[in-house]
Amino acid sequence: EIVLTQSPATLSLSPGERATLSCRASQSVSSYLAWYQQKPGQAPRLLIYDASNRATGIPARFSGSGSGTDFTLTISSLEPEDFAVYYCQQRSNWPPGYTFGQGTKLEIK
Amino acid sequence: QVQLQESGPGLVKPSQTLSLTCTVSGGSISSGGYYWSWIRQHPGKGLEWIGYIYYSGSTYYNPSLKSRVTISVDTSKNQFSLKLSSVTAADTAVYYCARVTDMGYFDYWGQGTLVTVSS
């Protein structure tokens, strides 16, 4: 099973600052990686798929990069509504399945 | 706009079977091209994929839960369901249903439903 490790566990920043979140896979996942945002009491929302493609309706300040085992989610200039928990997720072809990272909490400094 | 809505008991006794249904609107499960999945989140924790089903009825489950999980589909009602047997307190979680794209990403989610296992 592929394990996804996110860092840092918590990131404290101020609105307007740049956020960089990391996700590392225990073995290559090619570019089959997604990022989700989850706010308290809400379901996760798909932000980025295939490592670098923004999902429908996602603002341009969100960007993803990476391939293989190392991936990054960047938020170029934090808005107040961006403070949330972020998860990365990969899918395996065989055996079929999906795993998530443990999450990074982005909090207001 | 596709919408998913979970329904089912919020309280289940230990050793019993947890049963949830997800009703899909704004799109047909039978149209194909997507998988339909269950995911859970223990209180204050991360996300755990439980399993998925295709409209044809083919399924795949997380190996860690496989012995206790059954996912079924009712295309006439545009619903799919989760059964988790022999539950314990460790199964207390928010359960989400979600649509999975053919590339393996969860693009639409239900709002989630908290299921507590307690006597």
Side-chain angles (χ1 to χ4, degrees):
Chain A
E1 175 186 303
I2 296 176
V3 176
L4 298 178
T5 302
Q6 293 185 240
S7 61
T10 303
L11 184 58
S12 300
L13 293 171
S14 300
E17 291 192 294
R18 181 184 187 92
T20 303
L21 288 68
S22 175
C23 178
R24 176 163 290 180
S26 58
Q27 57 185 279
S28 177
V29 299
S30 186
S31 294
Y32 301 126
L33 189 105
W35 290 93
Y36 299 82
Q37 176 193 67
Q38 187 179 33
K39 297 180 180 179
Q42 296 184 16
R45 176 174 70 147
L46 178 64
L47 298 176
I48 301 288
Y49 65 93
D50 287 347
S52 62
N53 295 305
R54 277 190 302 276
T56 303
I58 301 303
R61 64 181 181 274
F62 291 90
S63 63
S65 63
S67 66
T69 60
D70 290 297
F71 300 86
T72 300
L73 174 69
T74 301
I75 310 172
S76 59
S77 179
L78 286 165
E79 297 287 341
E81 61 268 26
D82 298 336
F83 293 91
V85 179
Y86 292 83
Y87 294 95
C88 57
Q89 174 250 322
Q90 66 87 28
R91 60 108 168 168
S92 300
N93 284 333
W94 192 259
Y98 312 93
T99 55
F100 293 87
Q102 83 279 18
T104 289
K105 181 179 181 180
L106 178 56
E107 65 177 23
I108 300 177
K109 187 174 182 180
Chain B
Q1 176 80 343
V2 174
Q3 293 185 309
L4 297 89
Q5 178 68 58
E6 305 88 351
S7 58
L11 181 64
V12 181
K13 289 182 166 52
S15 80
Q16 293 191 341
T17 296
L18 178 160
S19 296
L20 295 173
T21 295
C22 183
T23 300
V24 180
S25 58
S28 173
I29 288 179
S30 299
S31 62
Y34 299 97
Y35 294 83
W36 303 90
S37 192
W38 288 96
I39 297 152
R40 70 180 183 179
Q41 186 169 35
H42 294 103
K45 302 296 184 183
L47 300 158
E48 179 182 31
W49 172 71
I50 298 170
Y52 68 61
I53 192 164
Y54 197 55
Y55 78 97
S56 62
S58 62
T59 56
Y60 197 84
Y61 304 133
N62 186 327
S64 68
L65 296 168
K66 183 179 180 180
S67 63
R68 299 194 291 132
V69 172
T70 302
I71 298 177
S72 58
V73 65
D74 186 338
T75 55
S76 67
K77 295 182 178 179
N78 221 31
Q79 295 175 335
F80 63 105
S81 298
L82 168 70
K83 290 189 185 299
L84 181 65
S85 64
S86 305
V87 297
T88 70
D91 295 308
T92 293
V94 174
Y95 287 76
Y96 295 100
C97 57
R99 189 179 82 167
V100 194
T101 70
D102 59 352
M103 293 305 294
Y105 308 120
F106 303 92
D107 61 347
Y108 287 97
W109 297 65
Q111 66 186 28
T113 187
L114 174 63
V115 178
T116 302
V117 179
S118 175
S119 56

